[in-house]
Amino acid sequence: MAKYGSFPGARPRRLRTSPVMRRMVAETRLHPADFILPAFVREGVGEPVPIGAMPGVVQHTRDSLKKAAVEAAEAGVSGIMLFGVPEDAKKDALGTAGTDPDGILQVALRDVRAEVGDDLLVMADLCLDEFTDHGHCGVLDDQGRVDNDATLERYAEMAQVQADAGAHVVGPSGMMDGQIGVIRDALDQIGREDVAILAYTAKYSSAFFGPFREAVGSSLRGDRQTYQQDPANWRESLRELALDLEEGADMVMVKPAGPYLDVLARVADAVDVPVAAYQVSGEYAMIEAAAEKGWIDRDRAILEALTGIKRAGARTILTYWATEVARTLD
């Protein structure tokens, strides 16, 4: 007689026998609405500029960005997160181009919002690193250290101009203490209670950000280890999470995604707000580079990586493959 609680009666392979069987019993499913497309828009260029370390990704012109936004909306992607790349001459110690209503990021926000309306969530990276001549995410003091509280004043102004430019969502990514509360207050002061905050809650000081520095034309000198999280720690993320929620975060994020799936799972288990994860430039570049050499199956690797991120607890994934994968799923 077969023993149905163990082999040979119990045969888990029965549920793997065909594609339709595997699809029916799948515990995790990707959907176009899971995705947000990060996109870069560069000031003063007439054609999209390829990013060498991120094959297939470009620094957009204003026109090509609008086209990319429309394509993302048509594919069913939920949002587009915009990063502005100003001309080098416009960078300064305070990152004033980031709060200029006519700066490249604000212009791009207006462009995209006018193009897609409410069919795509228009999101803005809220940070100064693209706009400062030293490349840090905040204002420096007289000893060259990032001044947390002086930076918060700049973030408050930045949130207001981004909201005025049409952002549905702002994404504070600088990892300054108190940034969520200050930004929430700044938005509410101008009657923009409807603008949501996607907090970069657990953003690690990661080597996987390397290609992103090229993407935004970073002028960084030194590193960001005094304000981004130590890769050795996960309890610290839960403390950051509690503070961000107390200050009014509507959604929270773990960044990078793949190397921090354990952190992502813990964050997802701890909260009742939507959790996002950012599949960062280095994660993208590794798969593209290995696929180019024929070492892995590109399409399967992309879907496997994204499925793993969602399985770990992400409701939303920022990925440079957003539109491509959404079309495949559709």
Side-chain angles (χ1 to χ4, degrees):
M1 178 180 291
K3 297 180 180 179
Y4 292 103
S6 60
F7 182 83
R11 294 181 182 270
R13 287 182 55 188
R14 293 186 188 115
L15 301 184
R16 305 171 195 153
T17 53
S18 68
V20 69
M21 176 67 81
R22 293 191 295 273
R23 184 182 66 188
M24 183 182 75
V25 302
E27 299 172 32
T28 304
R29 301 179 192 275
L30 295 172
H31 187 277
D34 296 336
F35 302 128
I36 295 170
L37 176 67
F40 310 100
V41 56
R42 179 171 170 178
E43 188 172 24
V45 294
E47 297 289 338
V49 179
I51 299 168
M54 300 175 68
V57 180
V58 301
Q59 294 172 326
H60 284 286
T61 66
R62 290 173 60 184
D63 285 340
S64 70
L65 176 66
K66 290 188 287 186
K67 181 181 178 183
V70 170
E71 291 173 349
E74 290 175 346
V77 171
S78 286
I80 186 168
M81 177 68 78
L82 301 186
F83 298 84
V85 184
E87 295 176 331
D88 286 343
K90 294 185 179 179
K91 295 182 180 182
D92 60 25
L94 299 178
T96 53
T99 51
D100 180 355
D102 295 319
I104 183 59
L105 181 53
Q106 281 65 252
V107 168
L109 287 167
R110 289 195 292 270
D111 284 345
V112 173
R113 186 66 189 272
E115 193 75 17
V116 299
D118 295 329
D119 293 338
L120 186 70
L121 288 173
V122 180
M123 305 178 173
D125 177 63
L126 201 165
C127 195
L128 293 172
D129 58 322
E130 299 102 308
F131 306 102
T132 55
D133 55 11
H134 47 73
H136 279 285
C137 297
V139 178
L140 303 185
D141 63 18
D142 56 8
Q143 297 184 53
R145 302 170 301 187
V146 175
D147 186 324
N148 191 94
D149 295 5
T151 299
L152 295 182
E153 296 179 16
R154 301 287 296 122
Y155 285 3
E157 184 180 355
M158 198 171 193
Q160 291 176 339
V161 298
Q162 290 180 349
D164 285 342
H168 294 102
V169 179
V170 295
S173 59
M175 290 298 289
M176 296 298 119
D177 294 340
Q179 63 183 12
I180 303 304
V182 166
I183 289 167
R184 183 73 270 161
D185 287 346
L187 291 169
D188 292 352
Q189 286 170 13
I190 62 169
R192 298 310 304 269
E193 296 89 352
D194 57 330
V195 174
I197 299 176
L198 170 55
Y200 285 56
T201 292
K203 182 178 179 181
Y204 283 86
S205 181
S206 173
F208 291 93
F209 296 154
F212 182 87
R213 306 265 164 84
E214 177 189 349
V216 296
S218 175
S219 304
L220 181 64
R221 299 193 293 269
D223 58 52
R224 297 177 175 140
Q225 294 184 69
T226 63
Y227 46 101
Q228 293 179 351
Q229 284 185 232
D230 185 339
N233 299 342
W234 66 264
R235 290 182 179 85
E236 185 178 23
S237 293
L238 298 186
R239 186 182 185 200
E240 293 277 6
L241 175 65
L243 291 168
D244 281 356
L245 293 175
E246 183 179 351
E247 292 173 25
D250 299 290
M251 300 172 278
V252 297
M253 185 197 295
V254 175
K255 179 181 180 182
Y260 296 90
L261 294 181
D262 60 325
V263 177
L264 174 59
R266 288 181 169 109
V267 168
D269 286 344
V271 301
D272 56 4
V273 300
V275 176
Y278 196 144
Q279 186 185 51
V280 300
S281 58
E283 297 175 74
Y284 175 94
M286 287 193 302
I287 290 177
E288 289 288 353
E292 183 181 1
K293 288 184 173 293
W295 292 343
I296 59 173
D297 181 320
R298 176 185 181 274
D299 294 347
R300 285 188 61 192
I302 291 169
L303 289 175
E304 185 175 339
L306 291 170
T307 300
I309 294 166
K310 188 172 182 183
R311 188 185 63 240
R315 187 176 304 180
T316 303
I317 304 171
L318 286 82
T319 175
Y320 300 98
W321 289 301
T323 302
E324 175 187 343
V325 172
R327 287 170 172 163
T328 301
L329 297 173
D330 184 58

